[in-house]
Amino acid sequence: MAGDRSLQFSMEPREIPPPPEPPPSWLRGLFEFLDALGPLFQIIFWILIGLVVAGIGWLIIRELMRIRAPEKRGKTAKPAPEPWRPEAAVALALLSDADALAAKGQYAEAVHLLLLRSINDIEGRLPNAVRPALTSRDIARLERLPDAARPTFLRIARAVETSLFGGGSVDRATWDDCRAAYEAFAFPETWAR
């Protein structure tokens, strides 16, 4: 090993470089001034962090309130029911179309037509209450829906659910019951509380 020239066995003294020149006095003064302001910068930093966190929290809360706003408005303040009656010509045309389907024995289609028209009536009467993702059961549970209208709407919705999703059929008796329910739903006495 001692004969291996790639290994160093003696240390030669190294030349020590001269110390760097001190900075000019104006630069030293600037560093001392900034060093004195250090605690102030620390306070400003934490204030900015707090403002950013508060801003993000405010945006989140505002978005949650916007999403929940229609439900909260319905829970806190129930407006007095206004006199409401669907146009007689429209209601009669609907019943005429549904009766024509029922006369052909297409009771499920006639009941489905009544359900769709009932949902349109609710949308017209209670704006922003019916959302696209709501099912018929969700619509029936809307707090803003008058209590007198809820059971009649549910009768129609259950018949449609049974025929569309339950594989059941709609017979003449079910059709007659749903037609009577629609008539009760469409007239203003069902909206009185």
Side-chain angles (χ1 to χ4, degrees):
M1 252 178 148
D4 187 358
R5 294 189 182 265
S6 64
L7 299 176
Q8 180 179 358
F9 290 103
S10 65
M11 299 295 235
E12 297 175 11
R14 213 175 59 163
E15 186 177 316
I16 298 175
E21 291 183 25
S25 62
W26 66 269
L27 189 58
R28 273 182 290 170
L30 178 65
F31 286 149
E32 288 172 3
F33 176 72
L34 291 175
D35 189 42
L37 291 179
L40 179 64
F41 288 141
Q42 202 172 27
I43 291 170
I44 291 172
F45 171 77
W46 287 112
I47 288 173
L48 289 175
I49 292 293
L51 288 174
V52 167
V53 168
I56 291 171
W58 179 77
L59 290 173
I60 290 171
I61 289 170
R62 185 183 71 169
E63 187 64 20
L64 289 173
M65 288 174 62
R66 186 188 65 78
I67 291 170
R68 294 289 189 182
E71 291 178 15
K72 284 186 178 180
R73 269 187 247 126
K75 289 180 182 176
T76 57
K78 291 185 181 180
E82 303 169 10
W84 174 82
R85 178 185 295 268
E87 289 183 33
V90 174
L92 290 174
L94 168 66
L95 288 174
S96 174
D97 292 344
D99 285 336
L101 288 171
K104 294 178 190 175
Q106 298 175 338
Y107 300 119
E109 291 82 359
V111 172
H112 192 233
L113 182 64
L114 291 179
L115 177 69
L116 294 176
R117 183 57 204 173
S118 298
I119 292 171
N120 287 338
D121 288 342
I122 292 171
E123 284 179 316
R125 175 75 170 113
L126 305 171
N128 300 323
V130 178
R131 296 187 199 129
L134 294 180
T135 64
S136 298
R137 289 180 189 210
D138 294 333
I139 294 169
R141 283 188 224 122
L142 288 174
E143 193 168 311
R144 294 171 57 195
L145 187 67
D147 293 334
R150 192 179 322 277
T152 57
F153 179 79
L154 269 173
R155 279 195 280 174
I156 298 170
R158 284 188 185 128
V160 171
E161 283 180 356
T162 301
S163 68
L164 286 180
F165 307 114
S169 62
V170 177
D171 59 6
R172 177 72 187 193
T174 305
W175 156 246
D176 289 337
D177 183 49
C178 290
R179 187 182 193 290
Y182 177 77
E183 287 176 0
F185 178 78
F187 292 102
E189 57 271 7
T190 61
W191 290 94
R193 297 207 185 257

